[in-house]
Each structure stands twice: as C-alpha cells, then as structure tokens.
Amino acid sequence: MELIARVAVRRHRIGEERDGPAPVGSRADEGKVVTLFRIRGGSPARALRLLARSTRAAPARPTVALTVAGRELSDAQAAVCRAVITQCRNDATEIVLCSHPPQPPEAESPDGFGNCRWFPSVHTMMQQFGREDAQGTRASPAPD
C-alpha cells in the first residue's frame, strides 16, 4: 500500500470573497478530508502502520479511500484491503473504495468488504464528495 494524496474537498461559490486560506479549525475551513491510498498488495501489518502514520496527524478524522488498478483483485491486495477496512471500522473512520468492483454490481461484495461505498474512479468520488459538501449531507451516487 502507498499513500497517493491527501485532499480537502471544499466548495466555494464563484465571487465569494476570500483573503487567503481560512484559519485551520474555522467554519470556513470545514470540508471533507480524504486520504487516498493505492493498494499494491504486500504486508497487511505494513499497510496498517502506514495508515496510522498517515491519518494520525490529520486535524479531523479523514475519510480513507483505497484504490486498486484494474478489475482483478489479487489475494495479497484483498488481504491488505480487509486489514485496512477492519481498522477503519474499529476507529469509526469512513472508508471508500475507488476502482471497478471486483464482481458485477448486482453480486455481493467480497468477504470482508461489507458495505463499503464503491466509486468507479477517484474522479467520480471527488465529484460526489463535492456534491455532498454543497448539500451538507451524503448524497446518493450520480449515474455515470
């Protein structure tokens, strides 16, 4: 597993006056923080250490997003995903997956993945989070 990015999703209206970045912790600074990881397989223990290091310093609990390239999920990648998902659930951290589901959408999620939100791409996830931020609630996914 590798850290790809930390992204803050905030929606600003055109013409909104801003004198620079809002102070951390202010109302204007609120938004969804997403920490994005690429799953490559490897050791679940190493993945959990990276997860802890990457989310510990965040001012608010970030959403954790996992992305897997391609449609096939190897056994090593699945083991890392399960470990990270379990840890995030234990920490009450929102977790989403950004990739094509490894099974048809009408089939059940693979064991250990439960009811994680799936997005077909990182781009789609960011668009959805932007819509949710504008509404102040969690919106249902937009059709592709």
Side-chain angles (χ1 to χ4, degrees):
M1 182 166 96
E2 66 181 339
L3 175 64
I4 296 176
R6 286 187 190 94
V7 181
V9 181
R10 295 182 194 103
R11 193 172 192 95
H12 300 283
R13 297 191 190 281
I14 294 176
E16 189 175 276
E17 288 190 32
R18 294 199 39 123
D19 295 330
V24 174
S26 72
R27 181 87 175 133
D29 188 51
E30 289 181 6
K32 183 178 282 288
V33 176
V34 180
T35 304
L36 179 64
F37 296 95
R38 178 179 296 132
I39 302 300
R40 298 178 137 205
S43 163
R46 277 188 181 168
L48 293 177
R49 285 193 298 272
L50 176 61
L51 176 69
R53 277 194 316 269
S54 302
T55 58
R56 184 179 319 134
R61 181 161 295 158
T63 295
V64 171
L66 305 178
T67 184
V68 179
R71 294 183 181 268
E72 296 296 319
L73 189 67
S74 72
D75 290 340
Q77 289 171 322
V80 169
C81 285
R82 285 187 192 98
V84 171
I85 290 168
T86 299
Q87 185 62 49
C88 287
R89 287 184 179 149
N90 290 340
D91 294 342
T93 300
E94 180 182 14
I95 186 157
V96 298
L97 295 141
C98 300
S99 69
H100 294 283
Q103 298 181 349
E106 62 275 5
E108 290 184 28
S109 296
D111 290 339
F113 286 68
N115 58 357
C116 291
R117 291 172 74 186
W118 288 86
F119 295 95
S121 67
V122 173
H123 177 74
T124 304
M125 175 192 68
M126 299 309 290
Q127 285 181 324
Q128 182 64 32
F129 285 168
R131 281 191 290 275
E132 291 171 7
D133 184 53
Q135 297 171 355
T137 61
R138 182 172 157 175
S140 56
D144 288 326

